[in-house]
Amino acid sequence: MDEEGPRPASAENASNDPVSGATTLVSSIGADSKASGWVGLIANANSGVGAGRDRVARLVQALKRKGLEARVAWSPADRRLMVEQAEQSPSCRCLVAVGGDGTVSALINEKPRVPICVLPAGTENLFARHFGLSRHPEEAAETIALGRVITLDLGEADGQRFALMAGIGFDAEVVTRHHLARIGHSQRVRPTSRVAYVEPVLRASFEYEFPTLTVRVEDPEPPEVFSGSIAFVFNLPSYALGLPIAPTAREDDGLLDLVVFRDPGPLAALHYLWLIFRGLHLDRPGVWHRRVRRVSVSSDVAVPVQLDGDPSGKIHPRTPTPWAARVLPRAVSLLVPERYSSTSARLIS
């Protein structure tokens, strides 16, 4: 990884937040003492109405009771500014993504060097669920005050980071259709639910052509080439509905888990889904699982890509450089609750 790694937090005086009316920033302490400094809250403005804004307000108050002051950023511009301020301020304890997996993705793509945490407020919340991060603001404040941190890998594809997975092919087609339905004519992303995926799944099943993907494992050696219709690159084992597509994926092993499904068509996809539910797919012919540091994917036609559940463009044919994903070892630090089991966890100081 060519960027500097994440840094721990330390201490400094708090200041007023002109954006939210909350105040600012934090340091690190043990579980039995009061913290000081500031915490940056990166909130999803589209879910930040009604209960969403109430959850942010509750977290601000819960942090205050722990001796921590909070600053809230609702817009992408404020988010970028807050990440810059956090990097320059020794007293920033952490940055907290308040929202779903898309909010987490937006934060990690700002390349923060201070620890991050998550208060889940989305539909799936796969990242938060994997690490046992609570939806309750009071429990999130407890995790932040405790200061128990782990360092985890990220994936990167065409310059964009992902924490969960990249999907290429049918899965990404469904994600793209769902995203376009959420936007509609308003260009404002509307809230969603699991039921909202039913229509894009059905439409994609009838209309998607399942073009052939050429998947090349470039690292580790020796290189391997697979031909398939759907491909996934996992950093964490988490997928929607808890589907165990890559159950052995780990966040701290310096590797990504590649899973390629060979056979095209909606009936084959339905068969693979049944095998995944039963945990049998990795043992079947035509399903390949490799642990990789770098992989590239190409196709003779344009193929959609999704990263962490959001559309990420397409793999275009006849481009000089194929689409590629690589692992970024130890790319971000994460505050986790005491119940999350990890031998590498430490207290920030």
Side-chain angles (χ1 to χ4, degrees), residues 233-249:
V233 183
F234 282 89
N235 182 49
L236 301 182
S238 307
Y239 191 74
L241 304 178
L243 294 176
I245 298 178
T248 60

Side-chain angles (χ1 to χ4, degrees), residues 51-317:
R53 287 192 181 273
D54 177 67
R55 184 169 295 178
V56 170
R58 286 171 56 196
L59 179 56
V60 169
Q61 293 304 311
L63 289 170
K64 185 177 180 180
R65 290 191 290 272
K66 296 291 183 181
L68 304 173
E69 299 187 60
R71 174 179 293 172
V72 184
W74 292 100
S75 71
D78 289 336
R79 178 185 70 229
R80 286 188 290 271
L81 178 60
M82 183 172 289
V83 172
E84 291 176 3
Q85 292 174 342
E87 184 167 338
Q88 296 167 4
S89 171
S91 70
C92 179
R93 187 176 190 80
C94 68
L95 296 171
V96 184
V98 185
D101 292 316
T103 308
V104 177
S105 178
L107 177 54
I108 65 171
N109 274 286
E110 299 289 353
K111 302 179 181 179
R113 294 187 58 229
V114 299
I116 69 170
C117 194
V118 181
L119 175 60
T123 303
E124 287 285 355
N125 302 302
L126 298 175
F127 184 90
R129 190 183 309 161
H130 175 78
F131 293 103
L133 293 161
S134 173
R135 298 176 67 94
H136 300 290
E138 295 75 17
E139 292 187 26
E142 182 67 30
T143 295
I144 294 165
L146 174 65
R148 186 170 181 262
V149 68
I150 62 172
T151 305
L152 56 139
D153 306 333
L154 296 174
E156 183 184 66
D158 285 356
Q160 186 173 355
R161 295 180 167 198
F162 60 93
L164 300 169
M165 94 299 277
I168 305 101
F170 178 73
D171 158 78
E173 176 74 8
V174 172
V175 167
T176 301
R177 288 171 180 263
H178 171 257
H179 180 77
L180 293 174
R182 289 182 68 189
I183 294 176
H185 300 293
S186 66
Q187 297 303 307
R188 180 181 183 275
V189 181
R190 296 188 293 266
T192 188
S193 67
R194 290 179 175 177
V195 175
Y197 280 91
V198 173
E199 182 177 353
V201 167
L202 293 175
R203 288 188 177 275
S205 297
F206 286 107
E207 298 173 7
Y208 187 67
E209 296 182 355
F210 291 86
T212 299
L213 308 174
T214 300
V215 183
R216 293 179 174 85
V217 175
E218 300 181 357
D219 185 13
E221 298 283 352
E224 294 182 88
V225 180
F226 304 105
S227 180
S229 62
I230 306 171
F232 294 94
V233 183
F234 282 89
N235 182 49
L236 301 182
S238 307
Y239 191 74
L241 304 178
L243 294 176
I245 298 178
T248 60
R250 288 178 52 92
E251 69 270 11
D252 58 358
D253 59 359
L255 296 167
L256 301 171
D257 280 53
L258 168 69
V259 182
V260 180
F261 297 91
R262 181 187 63 195
D263 298 334
L267 293 181
L270 186 63
H271 178 64
Y272 287 137
L273 182 61
W274 177 75
L275 291 174
I276 292 167
F277 267 118
R278 299 186 62 197
L280 302 173
H281 59 296
L282 297 181
D283 299 324
R284 295 304 169 97
V287 180
W288 296 283
H289 174 219
R290 297 291 187 273
R291 312 195 74 202
V292 304
R293 296 185 184 89
R294 179 180 170 88
V295 62
S296 66
V297 182
S298 59
S299 178
D300 291 335
V301 300
V303 179
V305 177
Q306 64 93 355
L307 299 180
D308 287 352
D310 284 328
S312 183
K314 293 185 176 183
I315 296 173
H316 293 283

Side-chain angles (χ1 to χ4, degrees), residues 318-341:
R318 296 178 294 278
T319 55
T321 304
W323 181 94
R326 63 168 181 152
V327 67
L328 300 176
R330 302 174 62 82
V332 69
S333 294
L334 175 71
L335 290 169
V336 293
E338 196 166 17
R339 61 180 170 271
Y340 182 75
S341 176

